[in-house]
Protein backbone atom coordinates (compact mmCIF):
# COMPACT_ATOMS: atom_id res chain seq x y z
CA UNK A 1 0.00 0.00 0.00
CA UNK A 2 2.86 2.35 0.79
CA UNK A 3 4.36 1.74 -2.66
CA UNK A 4 1.00 2.28 -4.36
CA UNK A 5 0.48 5.54 -2.47
CA UNK A 6 3.98 6.70 -3.39
CA UNK A 7 3.45 5.77 -7.06
CA UNK A 8 0.21 7.75 -7.25
CA UNK A 9 1.64 10.98 -5.94
CA UNK A 10 2.01 10.21 -2.26
CA UNK A 11 -0.36 12.88 -1.05
CA UNK A 12 -3.85 13.01 0.29
CA UNK A 13 -6.45 15.49 -0.96
CA UNK A 14 -6.15 18.32 1.58
CA UNK A 15 -9.20 20.31 0.50
CA UNK A 16 -11.45 17.25 0.70
CA UNK A 17 -10.08 16.36 4.14
CA UNK A 18 -10.69 19.89 5.41
CA UNK A 19 -14.22 19.91 3.99
CA UNK A 20 -15.04 16.59 5.65
CA UNK A 21 -13.57 17.79 8.96
CA UNK A 22 -15.75 20.89 8.80
CA UNK A 23 -18.88 18.84 8.02
CA UNK A 24 -18.12 16.63 11.01
CA UNK A 25 -17.53 19.62 13.30
CA UNK A 26 -20.83 21.24 12.24
CA UNK A 27 -22.80 18.03 12.68
CA UNK A 28 -23.79 18.05 9.00
CA UNK A 29 -22.12 14.72 8.35
CA UNK A 30 -24.19 13.01 11.06
CA UNK A 31 -27.38 14.54 9.66
CA UNK A 32 -26.45 13.31 6.19
CA UNK A 33 -25.80 9.78 7.47
CA UNK A 34 -29.15 9.65 9.32
CA UNK A 35 -31.00 10.85 6.22
CA UNK A 36 -29.12 8.42 3.96
CA UNK A 37 -29.78 5.45 6.28
CA UNK A 38 -33.52 6.12 6.14
CA UNK A 39 -33.52 6.40 2.35
CA UNK A 40 -31.50 3.23 1.83
CA UNK A 41 -33.51 1.28 4.43
CA UNK A 42 -36.71 2.15 2.54
CA UNK A 43 -35.16 1.02 -0.76
CA UNK A 44 -33.83 -2.19 0.78
CA UNK A 45 -37.17 -3.01 2.40
CA UNK A 46 -38.99 -2.46 -0.91
CA UNK A 47 -36.57 -4.83 -2.64
CA UNK A 48 -36.84 -7.49 0.07
CA UNK A 49 -40.65 -7.35 0.05
CA UNK A 50 -40.70 -7.75 -3.72
CA UNK A 51 -38.21 -10.64 -3.63
CA UNK A 52 -40.27 -12.36 -0.93
CA UNK A 53 -43.41 -12.06 -3.07
CA UNK A 54 -41.96 -12.71 -6.54
CA UNK A 55 -39.10 -15.12 -5.84
CA UNK A 56 -40.37 -17.41 -3.08
CA UNK A 57 -37.78 -19.79 -1.79
CA UNK A 58 -34.85 -17.61 -2.79
CA UNK A 59 -32.54 -16.80 0.10
CA UNK A 60 -31.46 -13.22 0.69
CA UNK A 61 -27.97 -12.84 2.12
CA UNK A 62 -26.21 -9.70 3.30
CA UNK A 63 -29.33 -7.59 3.73
CA UNK A 64 -28.16 -6.07 7.02
CA UNK A 65 -25.28 -4.05 5.60
CA UNK A 66 -24.12 -2.39 2.43
CA UNK A 67 -26.16 -1.38 -0.59
CA UNK A 68 -26.35 -4.80 -2.24
CA UNK A 69 -27.97 -8.12 -1.44
CA UNK A 70 -27.03 -11.60 -2.55
CA UNK A 71 -29.96 -13.58 -3.94
CA UNK A 72 -29.46 -17.32 -3.67
CA UNK A 73 -31.83 -19.37 -5.87
CA UNK A 74 -33.42 -22.47 -4.42
CA UNK A 75 -32.49 -24.44 -7.56
CA UNK A 76 -29.42 -24.57 -9.77
CA UNK A 77 -29.52 -21.77 -12.31
CA UNK A 78 -27.27 -20.63 -15.14
CA UNK A 79 -26.39 -17.24 -13.69
CA UNK A 80 -24.74 -15.96 -16.89
CA UNK A 81 -27.94 -16.69 -18.83
CA UNK A 82 -30.01 -15.18 -16.04
CA UNK A 83 -27.97 -11.97 -16.00
CA UNK A 84 -28.42 -11.69 -19.78
CA UNK A 85 -32.17 -12.43 -19.61
CA UNK A 86 -32.61 -9.83 -16.87
CA UNK A 87 -30.68 -7.24 -18.90
CA UNK A 88 -33.01 -7.77 -21.86
CA UNK A 89 -35.83 -6.84 -19.48
CA UNK A 90 -34.04 -3.71 -18.28
CA UNK A 91 -32.92 -5.16 -14.93
CA UNK A 92 -29.23 -4.94 -14.04
CA UNK A 93 -27.91 -7.72 -11.80
CA UNK A 94 -24.56 -9.47 -11.55
CA UNK A 95 -23.64 -13.10 -11.06
CA UNK A 96 -22.09 -13.78 -7.66
CA UNK A 97 -19.20 -15.48 -9.43
CA UNK A 98 -18.13 -12.03 -10.68
CA UNK A 99 -17.67 -11.00 -7.03
CA UNK A 100 -15.84 -14.12 -5.83
CA UNK A 101 -12.22 -13.80 -4.83
CA UNK A 102 -11.78 -17.57 -4.61
CA UNK A 103 -14.10 -19.99 -6.40
CA UNK A 104 -16.11 -22.04 -5.80
CA UNK A 105 -18.87 -19.68 -4.83
CA UNK A 106 -22.55 -20.39 -4.51
CA UNK A 107 -24.31 -19.42 -7.72
CA UNK A 108 -26.62 -16.49 -7.28
CA UNK A 109 -27.13 -12.84 -8.03
CA UNK A 110 -25.80 -9.63 -6.56
CA UNK A 111 -28.51 -6.96 -6.64
CA UNK A 112 -27.84 -3.35 -5.76
CA UNK A 113 -30.52 -1.07 -4.36
CA UNK A 114 -28.73 2.26 -3.93
CA UNK A 115 -30.64 3.82 -6.83
CA UNK A 116 -33.75 1.64 -6.67
CA UNK A 117 -36.99 3.49 -7.35
CA UNK A 118 -39.18 2.29 -4.47
CA UNK A 119 -42.34 2.71 -6.55
CA UNK A 120 -40.97 0.37 -9.23
CA UNK A 121 -39.27 -2.25 -7.03
CA UNK A 122 -42.07 -4.82 -7.45
CA UNK A 123 -42.04 -4.32 -11.22
CA UNK A 124 -38.26 -4.74 -11.38
CA UNK A 125 -38.34 -7.97 -9.36
CA UNK A 126 -41.28 -9.24 -11.45
CA UNK A 127 -39.11 -8.74 -14.54
CA UNK A 128 -36.32 -10.62 -12.81
CA UNK A 129 -38.75 -13.45 -11.96
CA UNK A 130 -39.73 -13.59 -15.66
CA UNK A 131 -36.05 -13.90 -16.53
CA UNK A 132 -35.69 -16.73 -13.99
CA UNK A 133 -38.58 -18.60 -15.62
CA UNK A 134 -37.01 -18.02 -19.05
CA UNK A 135 -33.72 -19.66 -18.12
CA UNK A 136 -35.46 -22.67 -16.65
CA UNK A 137 -35.23 -22.32 -12.91
CA UNK A 138 -38.28 -22.34 -10.68
CA UNK A 139 -39.69 -19.25 -9.09
Amino acid sequence: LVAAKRDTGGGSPVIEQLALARLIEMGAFDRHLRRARKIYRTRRDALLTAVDQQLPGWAVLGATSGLHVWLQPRDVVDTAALVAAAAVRGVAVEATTAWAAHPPVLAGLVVGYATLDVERAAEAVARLADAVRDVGSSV
Side-chain angles (χ1 to χ4, degrees):
L1 287 173
V2 171
K5 180 115 175 144
R6 182 190 63 240
D7 293 345
T8 59
S12 297
V14 175
I15 292 175
E16 288 86 344
Q17 289 182 42
L18 291 172
L20 179 59
R22 182 73 178 128
L23 287 173
I24 292 169
E25 289 169 5
M26 295 174 10
F29 190 64
D30 286 337
R31 286 189 299 277
H32 164 71
L33 289 178
R34 281 193 298 277
R35 186 176 66 248
R37 275 190 204 109
K38 183 178 178 184
I39 290 167
Y40 294 131
R41 185 180 307 117
T42 300
R43 291 175 183 175
R44 182 200 62 209
D45 291 350
L47 175 64
L48 296 181
T49 297
V51 167
D52 187 50
Q53 293 170 351
Q54 309 264 355
L55 295 169
W58 282 52
V60 178
L61 308 171
T64 58
S65 63
L67 297 173
H68 296 81
V69 295
W70 181 312
L71 299 182
Q72 182 67 48
R74 63 181 176 192
D75 298 322
V76 175
V77 62
D78 179 346
T79 55
L82 182 52
V83 168
V88 167
R89 290 165 174 78
V91 177
V93 295
E94 292 187 57
T96 53
T97 53
W99 290 64
H102 303 287
V105 66
L106 298 172
L109 300 175
V110 175
V111 179
Y113 57 85
T115 61
L116 180 67
D117 179 346
V118 173
E119 302 299 321
R120 298 188 64 203
E123 175 189 346
V125 177
R127 289 180 185 194
L128 179 58
D130 285 342
V132 170
R133 283 187 284 275
D134 253 13
V135 298
S137 184
S138 46
V139 174

Short mmCIF file of all heavy atoms in Angstrom, two decimals, residues 2 7 27 35-36 54-55 78 84 91 101 110 112 121 130-132 135:
data_model
loop_
_atom_site.label_atom_id
_atom_site.label_comp_id
_atom_site.label_asym_id
_atom_site.label_seq_id
_atom_site.Cartn_x
_atom_site.Cartn_y
_atom_site.Cartn_z
N VAL A 2 1.96 1.20 0.73
CA VAL A 2 2.86 2.35 0.79
C VAL A 2 3.42 2.63 -0.60
O VAL A 2 3.47 3.79 -1.05
CB VAL A 2 4.00 2.12 1.82
CG1 VAL A 2 5.06 3.19 1.72
CG2 VAL A 2 3.42 2.05 3.22
N ASP A 7 3.51 5.76 -5.60
CA ASP A 7 3.45 5.77 -7.06
C ASP A 7 2.33 6.63 -7.61
O ASP A 7 2.34 7.00 -8.78
CB ASP A 7 3.32 4.33 -7.58
CG ASP A 7 4.56 3.49 -7.32
OD1 ASP A 7 5.63 4.08 -7.00
OD2 ASP A 7 4.46 2.26 -7.42
N GLY A 27 -21.73 19.00 12.49
CA GLY A 27 -22.80 18.03 12.68
C GLY A 27 -23.53 17.69 11.38
O GLY A 27 -24.47 16.89 11.38
N ARG A 35 -30.08 10.73 7.36
CA ARG A 35 -31.00 10.85 6.22
C ARG A 35 -30.74 9.71 5.21
O ARG A 35 -31.67 9.07 4.72
CB ARG A 35 -30.84 12.22 5.56
CG ARG A 35 -31.84 12.49 4.47
CD ARG A 35 -31.73 13.90 3.90
NE ARG A 35 -30.45 14.07 3.20
CZ ARG A 35 -29.45 14.86 3.59
NH1 ARG A 35 -29.56 15.57 4.69
NH2 ARG A 35 -28.34 14.94 2.89
N ALA A 36 -29.48 9.46 4.93
CA ALA A 36 -29.12 8.42 3.96
C ALA A 36 -29.55 7.04 4.45
O ALA A 36 -30.07 6.22 3.66
CB ALA A 36 -27.62 8.44 3.68
N GLN A 54 -42.15 -12.29 -5.14
CA GLN A 54 -41.96 -12.71 -6.54
C GLN A 54 -40.99 -13.87 -6.72
O GLN A 54 -41.04 -14.55 -7.74
CB GLN A 54 -41.45 -11.52 -7.36
CG GLN A 54 -42.25 -10.27 -7.21
CD GLN A 54 -43.29 -10.08 -8.29
OE1 GLN A 54 -43.36 -10.86 -9.22
NE2 GLN A 54 -44.09 -9.05 -8.16
N LEU A 55 -40.09 -14.05 -5.75
CA LEU A 55 -39.10 -15.12 -5.84
C LEU A 55 -39.14 -15.98 -4.58
O LEU A 55 -38.15 -16.07 -3.85
CB LEU A 55 -37.70 -14.54 -6.06
CG LEU A 55 -37.46 -13.80 -7.37
CD1 LEU A 55 -36.13 -13.06 -7.35
CD2 LEU A 55 -37.51 -14.76 -8.56
N ASP A 78 -28.37 -21.14 -14.33
CA ASP A 78 -27.27 -20.63 -15.14
C ASP A 78 -27.25 -19.12 -14.93
O ASP A 78 -28.02 -18.38 -15.54
CB ASP A 78 -27.50 -20.99 -16.60
CG ASP A 78 -26.42 -20.47 -17.53
OD1 ASP A 78 -25.61 -19.61 -17.12
OD2 ASP A 78 -26.39 -20.91 -18.70
N ALA A 84 -28.09 -12.15 -18.42
CA ALA A 84 -28.42 -11.69 -19.78
C ALA A 84 -29.93 -11.53 -19.96
O ALA A 84 -30.39 -10.54 -20.54
CB ALA A 84 -27.85 -12.67 -20.81
N VAL A 91 -33.29 -4.98 -16.34
CA VAL A 91 -32.92 -5.16 -14.93
C VAL A 91 -31.43 -5.52 -14.86
O VAL A 91 -31.00 -6.51 -15.46
CB VAL A 91 -33.77 -6.27 -14.26
CG1 VAL A 91 -33.33 -6.50 -12.83
CG2 VAL A 91 -35.25 -5.92 -14.33
N ALA A 101 -13.68 -13.87 -4.82
CA ALA A 101 -12.22 -13.80 -4.83
C ALA A 101 -11.63 -15.18 -5.06
O ALA A 101 -10.61 -15.32 -5.71
CB ALA A 101 -11.73 -13.22 -3.50
N VAL A 110 -26.04 -10.80 -7.39
CA VAL A 110 -25.80 -9.63 -6.56
C VAL A 110 -26.70 -8.53 -7.11
O VAL A 110 -26.67 -8.23 -8.31
CB VAL A 110 -24.33 -9.19 -6.60
CG1 VAL A 110 -24.13 -7.89 -5.83
CG2 VAL A 110 -23.44 -10.29 -6.06
N GLY A 112 -28.03 -4.62 -6.46
CA GLY A 112 -27.84 -3.35 -5.76
C GLY A 112 -29.17 -2.61 -5.63
O GLY A 112 -30.04 -2.73 -6.49
N ALA A 121 -40.00 -1.08 -7.52
CA ALA A 121 -39.27 -2.25 -7.03
C ALA A 121 -40.00 -3.55 -7.39
O ALA A 121 -39.39 -4.50 -7.87
CB ALA A 121 -39.06 -2.16 -5.53
N ASP A 130 -39.48 -13.15 -14.28
CA ASP A 130 -39.73 -13.59 -15.66
C ASP A 130 -38.43 -14.13 -16.27
O ASP A 130 -38.45 -15.15 -16.97
CB ASP A 130 -40.25 -12.44 -16.51
CG ASP A 130 -41.70 -12.10 -16.23
OD1 ASP A 130 -42.42 -12.93 -15.64
OD2 ASP A 130 -42.11 -10.98 -16.61
N ALA A 131 -37.33 -13.45 -16.02
CA ALA A 131 -36.05 -13.90 -16.53
C ALA A 131 -35.68 -15.26 -15.93
O ALA A 131 -35.17 -16.14 -16.63
CB ALA A 131 -34.96 -12.87 -16.21
N VAL A 132 -35.97 -15.45 -14.65
CA VAL A 132 -35.69 -16.73 -13.99
C VAL A 132 -36.48 -17.84 -14.68
O VAL A 132 -35.95 -18.91 -14.98
CB VAL A 132 -36.02 -16.66 -12.48
CG1 VAL A 132 -35.98 -18.04 -11.84
CG2 VAL A 132 -35.07 -15.71 -11.77
N VAL A 135 -34.95 -18.85 -18.09
CA VAL A 135 -33.72 -19.66 -18.12
C VAL A 135 -33.93 -21.05 -17.50
O VAL A 135 -32.99 -21.82 -17.41
CB VAL A 135 -32.53 -18.95 -17.46
CG1 VAL A 135 -32.19 -17.69 -18.20
CG2 VAL A 135 -32.74 -18.71 -15.99
#
